[in-house]
Amino acid sequence: MSRSLTINFGETPSQTATELASGTIVPLSCTKIMKYGGRGQGTAKSTFRARTLASDGMREGVAYSSEKVSLASYYSENPPLLPQTPRHVPLHKAVVQDTPHRHGSDSYRTARVEHLQQVLSLELHKAWMEDGDKLLDKFRSALTILPPSKISDFLGNYTGYDVETKMWSGVPDKAASEDVTLYRPLVVHINAILRHFQFSNRRAVLSHGTNIPHLHEPYETKITSKPDICLLAYGPGFAKAQKIPDKATYDHCAAPIEVKTEKGLKESKDRKQLAVYARECFVQQPNRRFVYGLLLTEKRVQVYQFDRGGVWYSKWYDIRIMASTFVEIILGIASSDETHLGLDTRIFWDGDRRYFEDPGAVNIRYTISHPDRPFRRRTIRGRGTTCWTVTDLSGKEYMLKFSWKSKDRVGEWDYLQRIKNANLKHVGIMESYRKIEQLSSIRPGVSVNHEDFTEREYYYTLQPFYGPPIEKFTSVLQLYRAFRDAVSGVMELLRIGILHRDISLRNILLDRREGKDGGGWGILIDFDMAISLDRNESQVKTDFRTGTRAFQSYKVLHGLGVHDHLDELESCFYVFSWLVFTFRGPRVPVRPLPHYLEAWESGDMEASRNAKRAFLQKRWFTVLQGFPQSTRSLFENMRNFFQRIAIPRVDRLWHEQEASKNKLSPQELAELKGFLDADMNEALSAVSLPDVDTTDCNEWLTLEAKRHFFAILNMIDQAIKQEESVTNNLLPSAGLHGPSETRQDSVPDRDGADVTLDSADEGDDYADEESGADDYSPLAPAQQYQDLMLEADLRSYSALHSLDSVRSNKHSASQEPAESVASAATKRGTKRAKKSHSNSQDV
C-alpha cells in the first residue's frame, strides 16, 4: 500500500524572475504542488524563490569550487550579475574531461585592474604549483653555452656588486618605500648583466609611471596597468618594430617584474598583480606559449611561469648571497632564443609582413593576412585558442588555429577527418594538423599526477578559409540562410554521431567561397569541445564549463542530464537571439550591450540561468529594432518552442535529482517518475512537431530528433520565404546571391581584427568612421523595447535591409517613394560599421 509522501525540494535552480530590467531581478515566490498517482495520492511540495540582485552596479563574486571564495564588491560600467553570498556548488564530473577549471577571466566585465585581479584569482584557483627548483634547472639548461665561470668572472669584475659584502650598489639594505630609489638601481644592474652577456635586443626599463594600455572590447572600460619594471625585447617573434620602444608596451614585454619592499611584500596579493601583467602579454603576443615574471625585493627574487595550465613558481632566492643565481634568472627570462621565452617561432615577422612556417611539417611559408589582429582568448589558463587567416603562395586562404586541448580529450583533428570523410555540406573540414608539444614539456620534471596540474596538448589545424563570422551578415536574408545552414550542419553532425557542444557566434561562418558545394551560406567550425556518440560518450553529463557561456543551453547551465541535440538547437537559438538584439540590422551594432545579454556571459551560473529563464519567459523582448516582421516572427516561434521544452526539462531533471537524495523506496521513486513523466509529456504535447520521413535516421539522428530539427528548419524557411517575397516584390532586380567577391577591404573587428568588406559596401555607409562621428546614443532600458518604426513602414524598411546585391543600401526615386526612404533612414539613424559585441568566451 502506498503511503503519503511529502518531499521538500528547497530552492530550485530554475528560479523564476518576474523582472529583468536595469539589472534588477524581482523575486517571485511560488509553491508547486506535485501530485502523482497510486492507491494513496501523495504530494511533493517545491518552494522556490528568485534571488534579489542589486541594481546599483555593485556585485559580489563567487568561486564555484569545494571551498568558499568571495570577492569584494566593486563597480563596473558593465557589471556581471553575481550572487550576493558565496556558497558551495557541487562539482559535475563528466566521462570525458572538459575544461578543468570553472572560471575564465574573460567571463567578467572588469573596469579596473583591481577587478581583473579578482577574476584572475578565480581563474587560477588551485592552479599555483611550486617548481621544486625545476625552473632554475630549466634556465641553466638553456644557458649551456655559458659556463658558471663566466658568471663568476662578471660578478668579480662588475663594480656594481661587492663580492665581499654581498651587496648590490645603490640597492638599500632595508628599503623604506617602493619608489625609484629602489627601482632604479635594480634596473641598472639588470641592464649591466644584459650588456655584459651581449643581449643587445633586451633592455629593462622603468615602467612604474607608465600607463600601458590593455586591449579591450569597444563597450568595456579602458584598462591600463603599470608594471614596476618591464624587460623589453624585440625580434621576429615579437612585434613588427625591430627596436626597443621608447615607452614600455606589452607587445614588446619579454617579462614583467613587480618590485616590492621586504616590509611591504604581500605575496598572495602581489602575485595576482603579476598575473594581470602576464595575461596582457598573452593577449598582445598571441603566439606566446608561456610568460615569465619576477617578484623582486631589495633582498630576494621569485620566478613565475604563467602558462595554459596556470602558474608554476619557484622558491625565493637571496639575490645578494646567491648573486650568481640572480644573474642566471635574469639571463633566463631574457633569453636570446625566443623559444625559451615562450614564443611560438612558427609565427614571425620578416620586414612588414608576418608569416607562418613550420619547418617540422611541410616547409611552406604562409602570409598572415591581418598580422596584428588574430582572434584570441583573453585568459591565462585554458585552451588559449588563437586563430589567424593565412594565404599560401597561390593566394588560397586558410584559417590557422592554435589551441591547447586537455590531453584526455579526443583531438579536434579526429572529428575534422570524420567530417571530411562524410562529405558534410555545412561543416568545415581540415587540410592538415600537427601536434606540437605537451604542457609538461615546458614544465620539465613536473609530476603529471599532481592534483593542481592538468596535462594539455598544444596543436594547430589548417582549414580552408570560408569567410567572416555570422555577425558580419550584410542582409537579413543572408542571416537567415547562414543560420539555416548552421542548424543543418548540427543535424549533419548528429547523423554521424557527433555533438558540437560549442555553438557560438565565432563558430558559425559566412561561407563566401566561390563555387561552394551545395550553395551553402553558412558553415560550422571548431570542434575542440565535441564528443563522439559512438565512443561511449553518449552519457557525458552536461557541464557549465564546456562551451561558450553566452550560448549554453538552460540545461547545460544547470549541469543536469546528458548533453543532447536539444541543447545544440537551443544554443543555435541563443546565437540568433544575440544577433538580432545586438544589431539594428546588418552591420549596425547596438550600444551599449543590452543588459539582459550581459548576464548571459556572466561567470556566475545563477545570474546566467536566471537571465536565460527570464529571456525564454518574458514577452517584452519581442520588439526588435531595425529588423523586419519576418525576424520577429522567427524569433517568437523559436522562443515559444524552447520555452516549452527547455524549462520543463530542467525542472524535471532537478526534481529527479533532489528526489534521489531523499532515500525514497523503489515504489515511491516509480510513482514520482510516473508523475514527472506525465508532467513532462503534458508540457511537450503543446510543442507542434512536423511529420518527417525516416530517411537517413539512425541511432543518433532518431525520428524524434529529426522532427525537432525540422521544426526549427521550417520556421527558418518560412522567414526566408517571407523575406524573399518582400525583396522580390519591391526590388525585382536585386540579386539573391552573396556580395561581390571582386574586391575586399577591411574594417576593425571586435578584437581589433580586420574583417573583409566588399567594395560595394563602402561609401557613405562608412564615411563617419573617418570623421569621428559619434555612435548611436545609448538607449534607456525602456527605450530598448520600443519599436522605432511604424507598421506602415515595415515593408520598405525590410527591403532596405534585404539588399543582397553588390549595391550600397540606397534606393532611387524610381525604386521607392522618397517619404518611405527618408522615414526609414531617419528611424534607423546613421548606419555604421563598428565592432561586434560578442565577448563570449569558452569556459
Side-chain angles (χ1 to χ4, degrees):
M1 180 174 179
S2 176
R3 56 190 171 92
S4 178
L5 170 67
T6 299
I7 306 173
N8 184 9
F9 288 108
E11 189 180 33
T12 72
S14 53
Q15 296 167 333
T16 304
T18 58
E19 284 287 339
L20 185 59
S22 301
T24 304
I25 297 180
V26 180
L28 172 67
S29 286
C30 52
T31 299
K32 183 174 182 179
I33 307 297
M34 302 194 307
K35 297 182 178 180
Y36 55 94
R39 291 182 62 184
Q41 286 194 340
T43 61
K45 296 183 179 180
S46 174
T47 303
F48 51 97
R49 182 183 300 271
R51 184 182 302 278
T52 303
L53 301 181
S55 60
D56 59 358
M58 302 301 293
R59 298 291 184 266
E60 290 182 347
V62 58
Y64 283 82
S65 65
S66 58
E67 60 184 19
K68 295 183 180 179
V69 179
S70 57
L71 292 176
S73 299
Y74 65 86
Y75 173 80
S76 170
E77 289 185 357
N78 293 288
L81 294 174
L82 301 178
Q84 293 179 314
T85 55
R87 62 207 178 281
H88 294 291
V89 176
L91 305 182
H92 300 284
K93 295 181 179 179
V95 175
V96 175
Q97 185 179 15
D98 295 310
T99 306
H101 61 282
R102 292 162 182 76
H103 290 267
S105 55
D106 52 4
S107 294
Y108 295 90
R109 299 282 181 264
T110 50
R112 297 197 302 268
V113 170
E114 293 82 357
H115 306 164
L116 191 51
Q117 282 184 10
Q118 292 170 336
V119 297
L120 278 170
S121 71
L122 298 178
E123 176 179 295
L124 299 174
H125 178 61
K126 296 193 70 175
W128 300 83
M129 185 175 178
E130 294 187 44
D131 73 329
D133 278 338
K134 300 299 182 182
L135 265 169
L136 190 56
D137 291 342
K138 183 181 179 183
F139 289 160
R140 286 169 175 164
S141 66
L143 298 171
T144 53
I145 60 173
L146 187 65
S149 59
K150 293 286 186 181
I151 296 177
S152 298
D153 291 343
F154 162 73
L155 291 172
N157 297 317
Y158 176 48
T159 58
Y161 179 73
D162 190 324
V163 294
E164 297 296 331
T165 63
K166 309 294 184 185
M167 295 291 290
W168 295 89
S169 65
V171 178
D173 182 44
K174 293 182 180 180
S177 59
E178 297 164 10
D179 55 27
V180 292
T181 60
L182 176 59
Y183 304 151
R184 184 171 288 120
L186 290 172
V187 168
V188 169
H189 298 315
I190 292 172
N191 282 328
I193 294 170
L194 298 176
R195 283 195 303 271
H196 179 84
F197 292 99
Q198 299 181 357
F199 284 32
S200 58
N201 55 351
R202 309 286 188 262
R203 186 193 308 160
V205 300
L206 285 173
S207 51
H208 68 287
T210 304
N211 289 309
I212 310 178
H214 290 216
L215 287 181
H216 63 282
E217 298 292 345
Y219 48 86
E220 288 181 333
T221 302
K222 295 182 179 180
I223 293 179
T224 62
S225 56
K226 300 184 289 186
D228 295 322
I229 299 173
C230 272
L231 180 57
L232 300 180
Y234 68 87
F238 285 95
K240 178 170 65 175
Q242 295 300 297
K243 64 178 182 178
I244 300 294
D246 295 332
K247 292 184 178 181
T249 61
Y250 279 114
D251 59 351
H252 281 278
C253 183
I257 302 174
E258 186 74 354
V259 181
K260 300 295 178 183
T261 65
E262 282 290 326
K263 183 179 179 180
L265 180 67
K266 297 179 181 178
E267 186 178 339
S268 61
K269 177 184 177 182
D270 298 333
R271 67 184 190 176
K272 294 171 189 174
Q273 183 63 22
L274 195 60
V276 169
Y277 310 143
R279 178 185 185 266
E280 196 59 25
C281 288
F282 277 116
V283 171
Q284 298 197 32
Q285 299 173 41
N287 57 324
R288 200 75 184 255
R289 294 150 46 239
F290 57 86
V291 175
Y292 291 129
L294 300 184
L295 276 184
L296 182 59
T297 75
E298 69 271 26
K299 293 182 179 180
R300 298 181 295 164
V301 65
Q302 189 177 36
V303 187
Y304 288 81
Q305 175 181 298
F306 298 88
D307 55 44
R308 299 308 181 181
V311 191
W312 200 37
Y313 65 96
S314 75
K315 66 181 182 182
W316 286 95
Y317 298 101
D318 191 314
I319 66 172
R320 299 174 302 180
I321 298 174
M322 304 178 69
S324 59
T325 298
F326 179 57
V327 173
E328 289 176 321
I329 289 172
I330 295 302
L331 296 178
I333 66 171
S335 176
S336 58
D337 186 336
E338 293 181 341
T339 302
H340 292 310
L341 288 183
L343 290 160
D344 188 338
T345 54
R346 296 170 186 81
I347 303 291
F348 60 94
W349 288 93
D350 187 354
D352 291 335
R353 293 184 179 273
R354 204 170 197 175
Y355 298 95
F356 162 68
E357 185 175 1
D358 187 358
V362 179
N363 197 11
I364 298 176
R365 177 175 288 195
Y366 297 86
T367 303
I368 297 176
S369 301
H370 308 292
D372 293 316
R373 310 297 186 185
F375 167 75
R376 88 295 303 276
R377 298 294 184 192
R378 302 182 183 212
T379 60
I380 295 175
R381 189 182 182 195
R383 289 180 284 166
T385 302
T386 304
C387 297
W388 312 77
T389 303
V390 301
T391 307
D392 66 13
L393 294 176
S394 67
K396 184 177 180 180
E397 287 188 294
Y398 299 88
M399 185 185 75
L400 174 66
K401 172 184 172 180
F402 289 87
S403 189
W404 293 81
K405 77 172 185 69
S406 178
K407 189 174 185 297
D408 292 337
R409 286 195 49 76
V410 177
E412 180 181 12
W413 52 86
D414 184 78
Y415 297 111
L416 289 168
Q417 189 59 53
R418 288 174 59 184
I419 290 164
K420 186 174 184 178
N421 295 341
N423 194 29
L424 305 185
K425 290 184 178 181
H426 303 110
V427 185
I429 61 172
M430 174 186 66
E431 296 285 339
S432 62
Y433 78 94
R434 186 179 176 199
K435 293 183 284 185
I436 302 171
E437 64 183 348
Q438 294 183 355
L439 186 58
S440 56
S441 69
I442 61 177
R443 292 190 185 186
V446 70
S447 172
V448 295
N449 297 318
H450 193 284
E451 63 178 354
D452 294 337
F453 179 77
T454 299
E455 182 69 287
R456 288 186 174 273
E457 193 168 39
Y458 187 44
Y459 71 95
Y460 70 77
T461 59
L462 194 66
Q463 299 176 255
F465 177 76
Y466 298 101
I470 192 172
E471 59 190 348
K472 304 302 176 184
F473 65 98
T474 57
S475 73
V476 173
L477 191 56
Q478 185 188 47
L479 171 62
Y480 292 166
R481 287 173 164 171
F483 180 60
R484 189 192 194 283
D485 284 352
V487 174
S488 298
V490 175
M491 185 170 66
E492 291 174 359
L493 286 172
L494 184 62
R495 187 181 298 124
I496 63 172
I498 295 176
L499 289 175
H500 189 283
R501 299 203 306 166
D502 191 16
I503 309 296
S504 69
L505 287 178
R506 287 286 170 173
N507 292 339
I508 302 174
L509 304 181
L510 298 173
D511 191 352
R512 290 186 175 178
R513 296 171 299 161
E514 294 186 8
K516 45 189 174 286
D517 185 27
W521 278 70
I523 204 83
L524 194 63
I525 63 166
D526 199 354
F527 299 94
D528 50 6
M529 285 286 103
I531 57 172
S532 178
L533 299 179
D534 61 350
R535 291 179 178 160
N536 261 341
E537 297 177 3
S538 58
Q539 296 303 309
V540 173
K541 291 184 67 176
T542 60
D543 195 320
F544 55 75
R545 296 170 293 173
T546 302
T548 303
R549 175 59 43 78
F551 311 112
Q552 290 174 321
S553 75
Y554 188 54
K555 190 182 81 179
V556 168
L557 288 171
H558 285 87
L560 293 170
V562 298
H563 200 103
D564 59 24
H565 71 280
L566 286 171
D567 296 305
E568 302 278 272
L569 279 172
E570 192 177 337
S571 290
C572 291
F573 164 64
Y574 292 137
V575 168
F576 182 82
S577 300
W578 186 282
L579 288 168
V580 298
F581 283 107
T582 59
F583 285 87
R584 289 187 177 91
R587 295 179 178 171
V588 187
V590 172
R591 289 212 168 71
L593 183 69
H595 58 272
Y596 48 86
L597 296 185
E598 284 182 16
W600 288 16
E601 295 185 306
S602 175
D604 174 65
M605 294 302 101
E606 184 178 358
S608 190
R609 288 193 296 256
N610 285 343
K612 286 285 177 67
R613 186 175 182 112
F615 187 82
L616 290 170
Q617 289 181 325
K618 299 308 293 181
R619 313 302 299 178
W620 38 258
F621 290 98
T622 55
V623 177
L624 302 176
Q625 301 176 13
F627 286 92
Q629 184 61 43
S630 59
T631 307
R632 305 175 188 193
S633 298
L634 175 57
F635 168 75
E636 280 299 328
N637 290 337
M638 288 195 295
R639 183 169 66 171
N640 289 338
F641 179 87
F642 289 108
Q643 179 190 97
R644 294 169 180 173
I645 288 180
I647 295 175
R649 286 210 306 165
V650 169
D651 288 346
R652 180 237 173 93
L653 288 168
W654 187 86
H655 285 109
E656 283 183 343
Q657 176 180 276
E658 292 301 301
S660 66
K661 299 176 183 178
N662 285 272
K663 299 181 180 180
L664 304 183
S665 68
Q667 182 181 356
E668 290 167 340
L669 285 173
E671 290 174 345
L672 181 59
K673 185 179 184 303
F675 164 77
L676 293 174
D677 286 343
D679 199 39
M680 186 72 179
N681 291 335
E682 181 182 355
L684 296 183
S685 64
V687 179
S688 177
L689 297 177
D691 293 327
V692 298
D693 58 52
T694 58
T695 305
D696 65 16
C697 286
N698 55 31
E699 59 181 310
W700 307 305
L701 181 62
T702 63
L703 180 60
E704 181 185 33
K706 188 173 180 179
R707 294 181 72 192
H708 289 145
F709 276 101
F710 270 84
I712 300 300
L713 290 172
N714 289 346
M715 296 175 195
I716 304 172
D717 287 339
Q718 183 179 3
I720 291 174
K721 184 177 180 180
Q722 292 173 352
E723 191 65 13
E724 284 180 335
S725 175
V726 171
T727 302
N728 290 334
N729 288 339
L730 294 180
L731 299 169
S733 63
L736 293 181
H737 299 287
S740 170
E741 307 252 359
T742 56
R743 185 170 69 86
Q744 295 182 329
D745 294 289
S746 300
V747 295
D749 179 34
R750 70 179 183 92
D751 278 326
D754 293 337
V755 176
T756 55
L757 297 178
D758 301 296
S759 57
D761 292 320
E762 298 178 275
D764 293 341
D765 286 342
Y766 302 102
D768 57 349
E769 284 289 333
E770 296 182 1
S771 64
D774 291 333
D775 271 327
Y776 285 96
S777 298
L779 297 175
Q783 292 177 290
Q784 292 183 354
Y785 314 120
Q786 301 300 319
D787 191 355
L788 300 183
M789 301 181 300
L790 299 175
E791 286 295 324
D793 290 328
L794 282 176
R795 286 175 63 82
S796 63
Y797 198 89
S798 173
L800 204 64
H801 283 292
S802 299
L803 289 177
D804 243 337
S805 67
V806 295
R807 314 170 217 177
S808 173
N809 285 350
K810 298 179 182 178
H811 299 268
S812 67
S814 62
Q815 290 175 316
E816 204 168 23
E819 295 83 3
S820 297
V821 176
S823 174
T826 299
K827 290 175 172 55
R828 70 187 175 115
T830 305
K831 180 180 175 186
R832 302 211 38 202
K834 291 289 285 183
K835 303 176 184 178
S836 130
H837 290 290
S838 175
N839 188 33
S840 303
Q841 307 299 341
D842 69 302
V843 185

